[in-house]
Amino acid sequence: GNEPVIWLVLPFISKNINSPEWRKREAAISAFGCILSCDVSNDLVAGIAPVILNKMLDEDRLVASSAGWVTSDICEKYPAVYATSKAFDSLISTIGPMINGSSAIMSIRASMVILAASLKTDEDSDDMPTDKFSKHFQTLCNELLGRIHSDGSDVSVYGKERVHAGEALSALIGVAALDCIGM
C-alpha cells in the first residue's frame, strides 16, 4: 500500500509546516494534500487538520490558498474530521469571513470548503430536523449571497469567486435541515 510513503513524508510536513519561510510552509501543506489520496487514517488527518485550517489565515497568499485547497479535500475525503460540533464551528468561523473578504482566491477557497463540507454522507438523511450547518445556515447564506451580488470590482478572478459562491450556496441549500427551511 501507500503507508510507507506517508511515513516518509510526515517528518517533512512536521518540520516545515510552521517554518518562518513561506515556501517551506506551502510545500508542507501541499505534501500533506498529496498524501490525502493515499489511505490515511482519520486520526492522522484529524491531528493535522486544525493546523492546516489555521494556515488559511497565513499572511502569505500562496500558503493560505494551498491550505484552503487541502481543507476542502479534507472535508470531501475525510468528513469525520469535522463531524464534531467544536471542529465544525472552528471550520465555519475560519472560512465564513473569507467568503466576502478582500481576497478573491480565498473567497473561492472558502466556497470550495463549504461545497465539500456539504456533501452528504451515507448516514445523512434528506429530512433531518437539524444538522451541523443549522446554526451557521443564515450567516453562510448571507455571506455567499453578498459575494454573488458583489460587482466584482473590489476583488476578482474573472468573476469566478461569484460562480463558486453560487455553487456553494446551491449545495448548502440542497443539504439544509428542516430547521433551516423558511429562515
Side-chain angles (χ1 to χ4, degrees), residues 13-45:
I13 294 168
S14 295
K15 179 180 176 185
N16 293 296
I17 195 90
N18 290 312
S19 171
E21 298 176 47
W22 73 266
R23 286 179 174 87
K24 289 183 178 182
R25 293 192 309 275
E26 200 275 334
I29 291 165
S30 294
F32 186 70
C34 289
I35 67 170
L36 288 177
S37 61
C38 300
D39 188 21
V40 182
S41 76
N42 268 331
D43 290 342
L44 176 63
V45 176

Side-chain angles (χ1 to χ4, degrees), residues 80-154:
V81 168
Y82 290 108
T84 68
S85 179
K86 181 179 177 184
F88 190 75
D89 289 350
S90 177
L91 174 71
I92 297 302
S93 69
T94 300
I95 66 164
M98 292 178 186
I99 296 167
N100 245 337
S102 62
S103 169
I105 193 66
M106 292 316 293
S107 174
I108 290 170
R109 293 294 190 222
S111 295
M112 290 172 62
V113 169
I114 292 169
L115 188 61
S118 66
L119 296 173
K120 286 194 177 253
T121 63
D122 293 337
E123 303 87 48
D124 293 335
S125 162
D126 284 337
D127 54 354
M128 293 177 60
T130 191
D131 71 5
K132 61 186 179 183
F133 279 109
S134 292
K135 72 179 180 180
H136 305 286
F137 186 80
Q138 187 67 51
T139 301
L140 288 174
C141 284
N142 290 340
E143 290 290 331
L144 290 164
L145 283 168
R147 176 54 73 190
I148 292 166
H149 292 296
S150 69
D151 65 6
S153 62
D154 53 343

